Coordinates of all heavy atoms in Angstrom, one line a residue:
R1152 N -3.7 33.2 -47.7 CA -4.0 34.6 -47.4 C -2.8 35.5 -47.3 O -2.9 36.7 -47.0 CB -4.9 34.7 -46.1 CG -6.2 34.1 -46.3 CD -6.9 33.8 -44.9 NE -7.1 35.1 -44.2 CZ -8.2 35.9 -44.2 NH1 -9.2 35.5 -45.0 NH2 -8.2 37.0 -43.5
K1153 N -1.6 34.8 -47.4 CA -0.3 35.5 -47.4 C -0.1 36.3 -46.0 O 0.4 37.4 -46.0 CB -0.2 36.5 -48.5 CG -0.2 35.8 -49.9 CD -0.1 36.8 -51.0 CE -0.1 36.1 -52.4 NZ 0.0 37.1 -53.5
N1154 N -0.5 35.6 -44.9 CA -0.4 36.2 -43.6 C 0.5 35.4 -42.7 O 0.5 35.6 -41.5 CB -1.8 36.3 -43.0 CG -2.6 37.4 -43.6 OD1 -2.1 38.4 -44.1 ND2 -3.9 37.2 -43.6
L1155 N 1.3 34.5 -43.2 CA 2.1 33.6 -42.3 C 3.3 34.4 -41.7 O 3.6 34.3 -40.6 CB 2.7 32.4 -43.1 CG 3.5 31.4 -42.2 CD1 2.7 30.9 -41.1 CD2 4.0 30.3 -43.1
K1156 N 4.0 35.2 -42.6 CA 5.2 36.0 -42.1 C 4.8 37.0 -41.0 O 5.5 37.0 -40.0 CB 5.8 36.7 -43.3 CG 7.1 37.5 -42.9 CD 7.7 38.1 -44.1 CE 9.0 38.8 -43.7 NZ 9.6 39.5 -44.9
P1157 N 3.7 37.8 -41.1 CA 3.4 38.6 -40.0 C 3.1 37.9 -38.7 O 3.4 38.3 -37.6 CB 2.1 39.3 -40.5 CG 2.2 39.3 -42.0 CD 2.9 38.0 -42.3
L1158 N 2.5 36.7 -38.8 CA 2.2 35.9 -37.6 C 3.5 35.4 -37.0 O 3.7 35.6 -35.7 CB 1.4 34.6 -38.0 CG 1.3 33.5 -36.9 CD1 0.6 34.1 -35.7 CD2 0.6 32.3 -37.5
L1159 N 4.5 34.9 -37.7 CA 5.7 34.5 -37.2 C 6.5 35.6 -36.5 O 7.1 35.4 -35.5 CB 6.6 33.8 -38.3 CG 6.0 32.5 -38.9 CD1 6.9 32.0 -40.0 CD2 5.7 31.4 -37.8
E1160 N 6.4 36.8 -37.1 CA 7.1 37.9 -36.6 C 6.5 38.3 -35.2 O 7.1 38.7 -34.3 CB 7.0 39.1 -37.6 CG 7.9 38.9 -38.8 CD 7.8 40.0 -39.8 OE1 6.8 40.9 -39.6 OE2 8.6 40.1 -40.8
E1161 N 5.1 38.2 -35.2 CA 4.4 38.6 -34.0 C 4.8 37.6 -32.9 O 4.9 38.0 -31.7 CB 2.9 38.5 -34.2 CG 2.1 39.1 -33.1 CD 2.2 40.6 -32.9 OE1 2.4 41.3 -33.9 OE2 2.0 41.0 -31.8
M1162 N 4.9 36.3 -33.2 CA 5.2 35.3 -32.2 C 6.7 35.5 -31.7 O 6.9 35.2 -30.5 CB 5.0 33.9 -32.8 CG 3.6 33.6 -33.1 SD 3.4 31.9 -33.9 CE 3.7 30.9 -32.4
K1163 N 7.5 35.9 -32.5 CA 8.9 36.2 -32.1 C 9.1 37.3 -31.1 O 10.0 37.3 -30.3 CB 9.8 36.5 -33.4 CG 10.1 35.3 -34.2 CD 10.9 35.6 -35.4 CE 11.2 34.4 -36.4 NZ 12.0 34.8 -37.6
R1164 N 8.1 38.2 -31.2 CA 8.2 39.4 -30.3 C 8.0 39.0 -28.8 O 8.5 39.6 -27.9 CB 7.1 40.4 -30.6 CG 7.4 41.2 -31.9 CD 6.5 42.4 -32.0 NE 6.6 43.0 -33.3 CZ 5.8 42.9 -34.3 NH1 4.7 42.1 -34.2 NH2 6.0 43.5 -35.5
A1165 N 7.1 38.0 -28.6 CA 6.8 37.6 -27.2 C 6.6 36.1 -27.2 O 5.5 35.6 -26.9 CB 5.6 38.3 -26.7
P1166 N 7.6 35.3 -27.4 CA 7.5 33.8 -27.4 C 7.0 33.2 -26.1 O 6.2 32.3 -26.1 CB 8.9 33.3 -27.8 CG 9.8 34.4 -27.4 CD 9.0 35.7 -27.6
T1167 N 7.4 33.7 -25.0 CA 7.0 33.2 -23.7 C 5.5 33.4 -23.5 O 4.8 32.5 -23.0 CB 7.8 33.9 -22.5 OG1 9.2 33.7 -22.7 CG2 7.4 33.3 -21.2
A1168 N 5.0 34.6 -23.8 CA 3.6 34.9 -23.7 C 2.8 34.0 -24.6 O 1.7 33.5 -24.2 CB 3.3 36.3 -24.0
W1169 N 3.2 33.8 -25.8 CA 2.5 32.9 -26.7 C 2.4 31.5 -26.2 O 1.4 30.8 -26.2 CB 3.2 32.9 -28.1 CG 2.7 34.0 -29.0 CD1 3.3 35.2 -29.1 CD2 1.6 34.0 -29.9 NE1 2.6 36.0 -30.0 CE2 1.5 35.3 -30.5 CE3 0.7 33.0 -30.2 CZ2 0.6 35.6 -31.4 CZ3 -0.3 33.3 -31.2 CH2 -0.4 34.6 -31.8
L1170 N 3.5 31.0 -25.6 CA 3.6 29.6 -25.1 C 2.6 29.5 -23.9 O 1.9 28.5 -23.7 CB 5.0 29.2 -24.7 CG 6.0 29.0 -25.9 CD1 7.4 28.8 -25.4 CD2 5.5 27.7 -26.7
L1171 N 2.7 30.5 -23.0 CA 1.9 30.5 -21.8 C 0.4 30.5 -22.0 O -0.3 29.6 -21.6 CB 2.3 31.6 -20.9 CG 1.5 31.8 -19.6 CD1 1.6 30.6 -18.7 CD2 1.8 33.1 -18.9

Side-chain angles (χ1 to χ4, degrees):
R1152 293 165 61 89
K1153 299 181 180 179
N1154 286 332
L1155 182 59
K1156 185 177 179 180
L1158 168 62
L1159 297 178
E1160 290 175 349
E1161 189 70 31
M1162 294 178 71
K1163 288 179 181 178
R1164 291 193 186 102
T1167 302
W1169 274 90
L1170 289 171
L1171 173 62

